[in-house]
Each structure stands twice: as structure tokens, then as C-alpha cells.
Amino acid sequence: MMNIQNLMKQAQMMQKKMQEEQAKLAEEEVEGTAGGGVVTVTLNGKYAMTKLHIDKSLIDPEEADVLEDLIRAAYNDAKEKIDARMNDSLSSLTGGLNLGGMKLPF
């Protein structure tokens, strides 16, 4: 049976690895697209939008609502990809152990 000191040491090591992984993921960029690629949004790991590309063919004042919907869809696509990467990363660190819905701090 493990003693409490070893258990605490392992928990601290896991916490450090998780913090390192969070910092690494925060620097990554993920691209989300909508409308077959006519709108592209790039987010960093903190969900901040770093780039936005809109195909010139979409810029029509009469269809602003369509453009707004596509931007929102592209953003959500990129956000889902970041969430998936974070979940994959946490799973690899915890060996698939379910930590009760624990979220990253950013």
C-alpha cells in the first residue's frame, strides 16, 4: 500500500504536468471553418480569436445575417476542436482516469 507522502508527491507531479500541458495548449492555434471554408476563424488555446478570414464573395450588406451566422459557426467549430485537444491531453496525463468533470482553469 502506498504511503500518503508518495501519494502526495505523485499528485504534485501530476499537477505540474497538467499546468505544463495547459501552457502548451494555450499557445496552440486551431482553425474552424464554416460555409465550406468561406469563413475561417483561428483561436488560440484560451479561446481568443487570433485570425478571421471572410471570402470576399460573402461581403454583401443585404446578407449580413448570413455572414454573422457563418462567423459564429466557424468560431464554435474551432472551440470544439480546442476542447477535444484539451480532453485528449488530460486523458493522456491521467491515464483515462475520470476526474469528475474537472475543467482547465482558462
Side-chain angles (χ1 to χ4, degrees), residues 75-101:
Y75 178 92
N76 289 333
D77 182 46
K79 183 184 178 303
E80 288 174 14
K81 290 175 183 177
I82 291 170
D83 288 341
R85 284 186 184 185
M86 286 183 186
N87 287 336
D88 289 346
S89 180
L90 280 178
S91 285
S92 69
L93 284 175
T94 62
L97 179 66
N98 183 350
L99 298 177

Side-chain angles (χ1 to χ4, degrees), residues 12-59:
Q12 288 173 341
M13 287 174 41
M14 180 183 274
Q15 182 179 20
K16 182 180 178 189
K17 286 181 182 180
M18 288 176 72
Q19 289 171 338
E20 290 169 355
E21 191 65 25
Q22 289 168 353
K24 182 178 127 189
L25 288 170
E27 297 300 317
E28 290 186 19
E29 289 191 334
V30 175
E31 192 174 273
T33 61
V38 293
V39 174
T40 303
V41 170
T42 304
L43 304 181
N44 66 20
K46 293 182 179 181
Y47 303 110
M49 188 183 309
T50 58
K51 296 177 191 165
L52 170 65
H53 170 75
I54 301 168
D55 188 278
K56 303 282 188 257
S57 67
L58 285 178
I59 302 174

